[in-house]
Amino acid sequence: MKFFADTAEIADIAELAATGLLDGVTTNPSLIAKSGRDFMEVTREICALVDGPVSAEVVALDHPTMMKEADILRKIADNVCIKVPLTIDGLKTCKALTGEGTMVNVTLCFSANQALLAAKAGATFVSPFVGRHDDNGFDGMELIRDIRLIYDNYSFATEILVASIRHPVHVLESARIGADVATMPPAVIRSLVKHVLTDKGIEGFLADWAKTGQTILK
Ligand code: E4P
């Protein structure tokens, strides 16, 4: 499963990219606003930091203007992935852009039928929002299970990019189901490595090692 960072914070992205475990980045207008940075400038910096896809979202709601915005965004770098909302105009834009060889992430997916449409429009990625789904009394992971089943039934190549992840259990369930990508806030990515027994184990080994009086580096 690929790991994307769901953020526009350069320091976090640089730190995670240095681990060699980061496969891409997703941004959205809210994350850009939170960063306080210029959209074009910060997107250019992110694209230079990671080799994988970097989602940059259009803000127009009509197809012709979405195409104009996408044309500006895709010139930023070869790894820009245009993010469009799951609307008829977004799907039209998806179809046109992927037809021209541009990566597209269809975002704000909340139903399996919407995901089916995104795949039919040739989306590179579809982004079902599990956290927001849970918040509204639905089962976010059930949505991922349905999309996996439907995509496998028809061998759709669209990758399931699980979004709006809030905690490590969302990541675990996504991996169990066979989602292709999980995009997570940096804090969730960092939390995946933590286990109290790992910390305790290191502490015990180091205490016993100290008793031997040995060193590995001479
Ligand atoms: C995905 O691409 C979105 O940027 C993101 O996952 C939304 O998450 P939120 O529901 O925590 O805002």
Side-chain angles (χ1 to χ4, degrees), residues 6-7 25-31 55 57 83 105 107-108 110 127-133 135 161-166 183-185:
D6 196 27
T7 183
V25 172
T26 49
T27 67
N28 62 38
S30 304
L31 293 170
S55 290
E57 189 159 344
K83 212 173 182 189
N105 176 357
T107 191
L108 291 166
F110 292 93
S127 289
F129 279 37
V130 292
R132 294 192 196 186
H133 213 53
D135 292 345
L161 193 168
V162 183
S164 188
I165 283 180
R166 301 275 161 76
T183 190
M184 298 163 259

